[in-house]
Amino acid sequence: AEKKGRVEFRDVTFKYPGAEAPVLSNISFTAEPGKTLAIIGSTGAGKTTLVSLLPRLYDVASGDVLLDGVPVTKMDASEITSRVSAVPQKPYLFSGTIEHNLRFGKPDATDDELWDALETAQAKGFVEEKSSGLNRRIAQGGTNVSGGQRQRLSIARALVTKPNVYLFDDSFSALDVATDARLRKALKAKTRDATVIIVAQRVSTIADADEILVLDNGRIVDRGTHDELLETSPTYQEIVES
Ligand code: DCP
Ligand code: MG
């Protein structure tokens, strides 16, 4: 069967409600199942806004966002949430156990599925280190765990749902470079059939992506692989050197 999860943005323009100027202009790209698309750009460039359009946190002003050829505006919310898992820039953990937090998107997941997701997200050791294990309490907002642990639990939660599309918005920034690399390697093995879209700050996080979009002031100013962009994109070179 054909792999599912093809994401296409067609000439998308977006304005926040009440704002004058668009935050995104003429955004066009395709992200394919089995591939990783990365988005990089300075703070305020519009990366979070861009990835929020697929799960319809906002709707576009003009253009189309399509999932397997169907505009997301024509899809049921429940279909989108079962097929697209977004790990937000600020992960939200709620008051409850680790298990409750992990089952959020898939209440009927088995314990094996939870542990498998934790292992991929490099969070298994952290959950095992207390005898309460999956029953360990998480405080509202995840304030009793570190930023890196919040990110990893949030990534594990997304893995549990086994979606067609993963959106990682700056999800690796609180991890040290070695953990970041291990996690992405494990992730790659587990998400082989899915479409992976990664927003990143660090070039090392996305250097092996199949395609990188360089976003600046709401526009895609350059695109290509890491090696291509090193040759062709002054904006990318600036990010590499920063
Ligand atoms: N913006 C807005 N209203 C919101 C969110 C953002 O007006 N509710 C504006 C602020 C920025 C622009 O939109 O000028 C783009 O914001 P993003 O959060 O999309 O930018 P990034 O994700 O690229 O920035 P960062 O790297 O800091 O996460
Ligand atoms: Mg952002």
Side-chain angles (χ1 to χ4, degrees), residues 131-180:
S131 61
S132 46
L134 289 171
N135 294 319
R136 176 152 153 202
R137 306 294 303 181
I138 299 291
Q140 187 170 345
T143 49
N144 59 342
V145 302
S146 77
Q149 286 154 349
R150 275 200 292 277
Q151 282 193 325
R152 281 176 280 175
L153 290 173
S154 187
I155 291 165
R157 172 195 280 159
L159 285 161
V160 168
T161 65
K162 300 196 177 74
N164 301 138
V165 184
Y166 289 93
L167 302 175
F168 296 109
D169 189 354
D170 204 15
S171 304
F172 312 103
S173 58
L175 308 176
D176 60 82
V177 174
T179 308
D180 175 3

Side-chain angles (χ1 to χ4, degrees), residues 17 29 46 57 60 63 65 73 89 95 97 104 106 118 120 127-128 143 150 156 195 241:
F29 67 87
L57 301 182
V60 302
V65 176
T73 48
Q89 190 166 15
S95 163
T97 63
F104 179 71
K106 196 184 178 206
L118 287 167
T120 305
V127 178
E128 278 174 341
T143 49
R150 275 200 292 277
T195 303
E241 283 155 19

Side-chain angles (χ1 to χ4, degrees), residues 23 41-47 49 215-218:
V23 211
S42 57
T43 181
K47 305 179 297 295
T49 307
L215 205 64
D216 189 26
N217 206 2

